[in-house]
Amino acid sequence: MSLLTVENISIGFEARNVVAGLSFQLQPGEIACLLGASGCGKTTVLRAIAGFESLRSGSIALNGEQVSAPDKQIPAQLRGVGMVFQDYALFPHLTVAGNVAFGLRHLAKSERQIRVQQMLDMVGLGELGQRYVHELSGGQQQRVALARALAPQPRLLLLDEPFSNLDVELRERLGQEVRAILKQTGTTAILVTHDQREAFAVADQIGVMSEGRICQWGTPYDLYHEPADRFVANFIGEGVLLPARLTAPQCIEFELGQICRTAPVECCVGCEMEVLIRPDDIQHNDASSLKARVLAKAFRGAQFLYTLGLPSGQTLLSLVPSHHNHAIGEDIGIELEMDHLIVFKK
Ligand code: ADP
Ligand code: MG
C-alpha cells in the first residue's frame, strides 16, 4: 500500500486555484521531490499534506486512511507528519539538545536523552548539544532542524526548501547527507525545491511542477533523458531546441542531419518538430565534416562548456573533456549521437 496518496487535489485562495488537479503517490521509504519555479504551488501542496490547508476537491490519504477531503480535515498534530522549514524555525532560547527534545515530551527523561544524543550523533553534531542556535553555522542549524524533525519518528517528513539559506557548494553536499540519513532511518519524505541540483542529489522520484500541476513524475535520470514535453526539457538540465521537420514517417531532418526512428513518429509527414540537444549529446571530432564555430567557452575543471555557432545562426552548448581545448573563433568538427536525441512535436 502507498504511504501517501494525493489524488486530484485542488487548493485555492479566494477566486484563484493555485493547485489544480494534482496527483501522486509515495511508497514507504521513498524520497520524492516537488521541483518548480517560485510561486507554482509547492509550499501549498506540502501545507495541505501536513494539514494546514483545506482542499477544494480531491483527497489525501496516509497509509490508506483519508486525512483530507473537501469536507474533512484531520488536525495536523494527529497526522504523524514532520516538517522542516526554509528558515529552520528553531527555538533561540533552547539549546541544540533542547530543540531536538522538543517533540519528545511523551518519553521518559532518560529515554529522551538517549534519543536526542542518537539524533545529534546521526547528523554529526554529537558534541554540540549544549550550544545555542546562534552559536552554530547555517549548515549546522539545518542539521539541528533535521534532527528535531526526525526525533519523533514521523511517518512522513516534509522539507520545504531546506537548503535555500545555504551557499551552493554546501547545498549539494548537505543534500547528499540528508538523503543518506533519510535512507538510514527509512523515512519517507518529500522535498520541495526550485533547485534541480538539489532535487537530483536527494530524490528517488521528482515531480516537475508548473502552475499548480505536475507536468511529469519520474526518476531524475528519466526526467533528464526522456522529458515528456518542451517545458520539462527546458526546465531540467541545459540544452537547446533546434527546428526540425518530419520528412518520412520515421525520419526527422534538421540542420545537423537526419534522425531515423524504428517506429513511425506520431506526426504527419511535413509537420514541424524540434530536436533537443543536450551539452552531452555532442562530441568533438576533428575528422567530422559537421562544423561549428567556438563562440564562447567556460572552464569547469574536468570539462569545458562550449557555446558553438552553426551556419544558420543557431547556437549549441557542448560539454566535453577539457583536453579538447579550442580557441574562440576556431571552427571545429562535431558529432552527434543521433539515436539519443529527443524530438518534440512543435
Ligand atoms: P511556491 O512554494 O511554489 O513558491 P506557494 O505554494 O507558496 O508557491 O504559492 C503558490 C501561489 O499561491 C502563489 O501565487 C502565492 O502567492 C499564492 N498563495 C499562497 N498562500 C496564499 C494565501 N494564504 N493567500 C493567498 N494566496 C496565497
Ligand atoms: Mg514555497
Side-chain angles (χ1 to χ4, degrees), residues 13 16 18 37-44:
F13 301 104
R16 190 167 151 242
V18 299
S38 176
C40 73
K42 305 181 296 293
T43 295
T44 305

